C-alpha cells in the first residue's frame, strides 16, 4: 500500500469519526421530540381541552368505574337492553392456549372476518334472528335490524339502532313493570344524532340507557333484579 492510499484511508476514517457525533445527537434529538415532547404535548392539550374524552370517556357510579361510553358491554338480563353481538375472543381459562368467545373484550378488538357468503355466518345470523324474535316476543316473520344479528368490525360498538332499541322496549318494560311509553321516552332521551348532522345514523348507547333505567327504578322502587349495571356484565 502506497503513502497516497494510506493518507486517503486515514482521511476517510476521520470523516466517519466526525459523522458519528452529529448522527447520534440527531437521533437523540428526534427521539426526544417524537418520543417524549410530542406525546407529552398532545396529552397535555387533550387533558386541558377534553379531559373526559382523553381519559377514555369513563362512566362512574360513585367512586367505581363501571365502563366507558366508547366500549359496549354484554347484557343478557331480561330487564336490560341488549347490545349488538360481539365477535371478540379471549384466552381459554383452562390454560390450553386456545381462544374462546369473550364478547366485548376490549383487549382484543376484532370482527369475525366472515364474508356475506360464509356458511357459518349465514347460519349464525339466522340463529341470532330467531333467538332475537323469541327473546323479545316477536312474530317469527318480524324483520330484525341488522345490528341485532351481526357484530361490528371492532366487536366493541357500544350503540344499537333506534329500531333495535324499540323492538326490545316491550320486553324491558314488562320485566321492570314500567309503562311502555316511559321506556320509549328514555330511548328518545338517549338517542344520539348524526355527526355534524350528516354522518352516521341515529343510535342509542346501550350502557347509558341501562343506567338510566336503573336510575328510574331506584327513584320509584328497587331494580327488577339484583343484577344491577356494573355487577355482572360490565367489563
Amino acid at each position: 500500500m502506497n503513502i497516497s492510499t494510506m493518507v486517503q484511508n486515514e482521511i476517510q476514517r476521520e470523516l466517519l469519526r466526525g459523522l458519528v457525533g452529529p448522527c447520534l445527537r440527531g437521533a437523540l434529538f428526534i427521539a426526544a421530540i417524537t418520543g417524549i415532547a410530542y406525546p407529552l404535548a398532545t396529552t397535555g392539550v387533550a387533558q386541558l381541552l377534553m379531559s373526559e374524552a382523553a381519559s377514555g370517556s369513563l362512566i362512574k357510579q360513585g367512586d367505581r368505574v363501571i365502563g366507558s361510553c366508547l366500549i359496549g358491554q354484554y347484557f343478557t338480563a331480561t330487564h336490560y337492553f341488549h347490545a349488538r353481538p360481539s365477535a371478540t375472543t379471549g384466552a381459554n381459562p383452562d390454560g390450553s392456549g386456545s381462544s374462546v368467545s369473550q364478547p366485548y373484550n376490549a383487549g382484543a378488538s376484532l370482527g369475525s372476518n366472515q364474508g356475506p357468503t360464509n356458511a357459518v355466518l349465514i347460519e349464525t345470523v339466522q340463529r341470532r334472528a330467531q333467538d332475537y324474535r323469541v327473546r323479545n316476543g316477536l312474530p317469527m316473520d318480524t324483520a330484525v335490524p341488522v345490528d341485532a344479528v351481526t357484530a361490528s368490525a371492532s366487536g366493541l360498538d357500544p350503540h344499537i339502532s333506534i329500531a333495535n332499541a324499540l323492538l326490545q322496549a316491550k320486553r324491558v318494560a314488562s320485566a321492570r313493570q314500567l309503562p311502555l311509553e316511559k321506556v320509549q321516552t328514555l330511548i328518545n332521551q338517549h338517542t344520539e344524532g348524526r355527526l355534524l348532522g350528516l354522518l352516521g345514523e341515529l343510535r342509542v348507547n346501550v350502557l347509558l340507557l341501562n343506567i338510566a333505567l336503573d336510575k328510574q327504578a331506584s327513584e320509584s322502587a328497587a331494580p327488577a333484579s339484583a343484577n344491577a349495571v356494573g355487577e355482572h356484565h360490565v367489563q
Side-chain angles (χ1 to χ4, degrees):
M1 182 181 297
N2 56 41
I3 295 177
S4 176
T5 302
M6 293 176 61
V7 170
Q8 290 178 353
N9 290 341
E10 184 62 27
I11 293 174
Q12 290 175 351
R13 284 193 291 269
E14 288 296 326
L15 289 173
L16 289 175
R17 282 194 290 267
L19 290 173
V20 171
C23 287
L24 288 176
R25 289 192 293 272
L28 291 174
F29 175 77
I30 295 299
I33 293 296
T34 60
I36 300 176
Y38 179 75
L40 287 176
T42 54
T43 300
V45 171
Q47 289 291 341
L48 181 64
L49 299 181
M50 49 185 75
S51 176
E52 181 180 350
S55 298
S57 299
L58 301 179
I59 302 173
K60 295 183 177 180
Q61 283 186 342
D63 296 330
R64 186 164 64 100
V65 175
I66 63 169
S68 167
C69 292
L70 306 177
I71 299 176
Q73 296 188 17
Y74 186 48
F75 290 94
T76 58
T78 305
H79 59 287
Y80 283 131
F81 283 89
H82 298 167
R84 69 182 301 175
S86 172
T88 58
T89 60
N92 195 325
D94 66 6
S96 64
S98 60
S99 296
V100 294
S101 177
Q102 195 174 97
Y104 292 99
N105 178 7
S109 174
L110 51 78
S112 68
N113 290 327
Q114 295 170 337
T117 60
N118 185 288
V120 174
L121 177 62
I122 294 173
E123 181 182 351
T124 299
V125 168
Q126 291 174 340
R127 173 177 49 78
R128 286 172 177 167
Q130 183 176 357
D131 291 345
Y132 183 88
R133 295 184 183 103
V134 171
R135 186 166 59 245
N136 292 291
L138 303 172
M140 285 297 108
D141 59 350
T142 302
V144 176
V146 67
D147 63 293
V149 294
T150 60
S152 63
S154 68
L156 306 177
D157 193 340
H159 299 96
I160 56 175
S161 65
I162 304 302
N164 190 349
L166 291 175
L167 286 175
Q168 296 186 55
K170 185 177 180 180
R171 165 179 56 79
V172 174
S174 176
R176 289 180 177 267
Q177 300 181 347
L178 290 173
L180 178 59
E181 294 76 14
K182 182 169 289 188
V183 175
Q184 291 172 334
T185 297
L186 284 175
I187 293 174
N188 292 333
Q189 291 173 347
H190 289 81
T191 296
E192 300 178 12
R194 296 178 175 87
L195 180 63
L196 302 178
L198 297 172
L199 304 177
E201 296 294 334
L202 300 180
R203 59 204 182 277
V204 178
N205 188 297
V206 177
L207 178 58
L208 295 181
L209 179 57
N210 284 337
I211 291 174
L213 280 167
D214 276 351
K215 183 178 179 181
Q216 178 79 44
S218 66
E219 291 175 353
S220 56
S225 151
N227 181 25
V229 171
E231 289 186 359
H232 183 68
H233 296 301
V234 174
Q235 300 292 331

